[in-house]
Amino acid sequence: MTRSLLFTKMEATGNDFVVVDNRNGQTSPDEWAALARRVSDRRFGIGSDGLILLEESVDGGLTMHYKNPDGSDAGMCGNGGRCFVRFALERGYDEPVRFRVHDKEYTGHVTDNETIRLDFPLETGVEPVRVDGENLYRVYTNTEHLVVPVRLAQLQEEEKLVKRGRALRNHPAFAPKGTNVNFIAGNRAEQVNLQTYERGVEALTLACGTGAIASALAWHQLKGGDDGEQSCRVEARGGVLKVCFRFSDNGDQYDRISLEGPARTVFTGSFPLPDTL
């Protein structure tokens, strides 16, 4: 006997997600890891970079639950968060959309018909680290990220990026959780190009929202950026993201961080599931 999972397929700069309205309890939390593995499979499932579930608390507040394609938890997914905002608006919630991920509250706004801005509850810094003789940068964006400066031409060498990204993602220096790995290059202080090897996907993705934030902040440091309100254009394979932030040289801290870019529904459908996953 099977049951049907009602879902919406969404994408944000090529990062794609299976989004489920779980207010009616379509699936239980103890099924979410197995469900993510099943629906994210690009040959035998729907295909996605992750599973997002919308739930509502007794006081009417919204919660976003996110699972990677391998069923693991993620601290936060920026592109998924923007899809969540669009999904909530399409279900009648008012703007701005406020929702919780773990113990933090995010706020989403529509800036035009296609663009969503997501405000991050985040104060962070850029930490230089030396790994296997290389100077790299750790940036926590409510999930773990490593930023690796490369030459612009190297961003096209995807097989090499995958090999290097996998090694760094699993490096003992970042145990036990591991890390996402962002390769960055550019020619202008206010613009950076990005390729991200995502933990949990275990491959390069077309874009990564929290990786775009980490990359923009590290790029600002590398270019000796100014104090005050700043923005950076981040170009990923799946499209363009805008990261805004405030930098204080007194303490080398970043805050007032937001991520802006497109988020849209691709299609809706139902997917057959067994009674138990």
Side-chain angles (χ1 to χ4, degrees):
M1 185 176 178
T2 61
R3 52 189 168 134
S4 291
L5 178 77
L6 301 178
F7 71 90
T8 298
K9 179 70 178 286
M10 304 189 75
E11 67 87 15
T13 52
N15 232 176
D16 62 336
F17 307 95
V18 172
V19 187
V20 174
D21 184 344
N22 207 52
R23 289 175 296 175
N24 63 356
Q26 283 197 75
T27 182
S28 63
D30 59 359
E31 296 179 304
W32 292 346
L35 179 64
R37 291 191 291 270
R38 184 179 288 263
V39 301
S40 296
D41 191 293
R42 295 194 182 276
R43 291 177 175 83
F44 299 103
I46 301 165
S48 75
D49 290 327
L51 170 68
I52 295 170
L53 301 106
L54 179 150
E55 290 200 320
E56 189 177 87
S57 61
V58 292
D59 63 0
L62 290 176
T63 299
M64 172 179 134
H65 300 281
Y66 181 79
K67 290 287 186 181
N68 287 317
D70 64 359
S72 62
D73 288 315
M76 176 54 181
C77 178
N79 287 331
R82 294 201 330 281
C83 285
F84 183 92
V85 171
R86 177 74 69 194
F87 187 75
L89 290 170
E90 290 174 352
R91 272 140 197 85
Y93 288 93
D94 293 331
E95 187 189 353
V97 175
R98 293 183 172 86
F99 63 98
R100 301 195 72 80
V101 180
H102 301 301
D103 61 343
K104 298 184 183 299
E105 185 177 80
Y106 297 80
T107 305
H109 313 259
V110 177
T111 62
D112 61 38
N113 286 336
E114 297 204 353
T115 305
I116 300 288
R117 188 185 85 235
L118 187 62
D119 296 332
F120 272 64
L122 175 65
E123 294 182 5
T124 192
V126 176
E127 177 191 357
V129 292
R130 193 159 177 84
V131 180
D132 297 336
E134 290 185 276
N135 294 320
L136 310 177
Y137 302 88
R138 292 180 80 165
V139 187
Y140 184 74
T141 60
N142 292 339
T143 193
E144 294 78 10
H145 279 279
L146 184 70
V147 180
V148 183
V150 299
R151 296 189 307 275
L152 196 57
Q154 290 179 281
L155 291 182
Q156 306 304 316
E157 300 173 352
E158 294 192 350
E159 288 186 10
K160 292 181 180 179
L161 295 182
V162 168
K163 183 177 180 180
R164 193 176 179 198
R166 184 178 296 124
L168 288 169
R169 176 259 186 271
N170 293 293
H171 197 282
F174 310 113
K177 287 186 175 182
T179 184
N180 299 283
V181 183
N182 304 277
F183 301 96
I184 63 168
N187 297 315
R188 292 164 35 190
E190 70 280 4
Q191 178 178 318
V192 66
N193 296 79
L194 170 65
Q195 286 261 41
T196 301
Y197 183 93
E198 285 202 47
R199 176 185 61 187
V201 180
E202 308 307 334
L204 297 176
T205 54
L206 292 180
C208 175
T210 53
I213 293 172
S215 298
L217 303 189
W219 190 244
H220 175 263
Q221 286 279 304
L222 283 166
K223 294 300 179 181
D226 295 332
D227 276 10
E229 303 285 345
Q230 310 289 331
S231 67
C232 182
R233 175 185 171 97
V234 181
E235 296 198 359
R237 284 189 301 157
V240 175
L241 293 163
K242 180 181 179 183
V243 178
C244 295
F245 53 89
R246 181 178 66 176
F247 176 64
S248 172
D249 190 43
N250 181 16
D252 289 337
Q253 283 292 300
Y254 292 87
D255 63 5
R256 293 189 185 175
I257 295 168
S258 66
L259 176 71
E260 188 173 315
R264 69 184 185 97
T265 294
V266 181
F267 61 86
T268 61
S270 62
F271 186 75
L273 293 175
D275 282 342
T276 57
L277 288 168

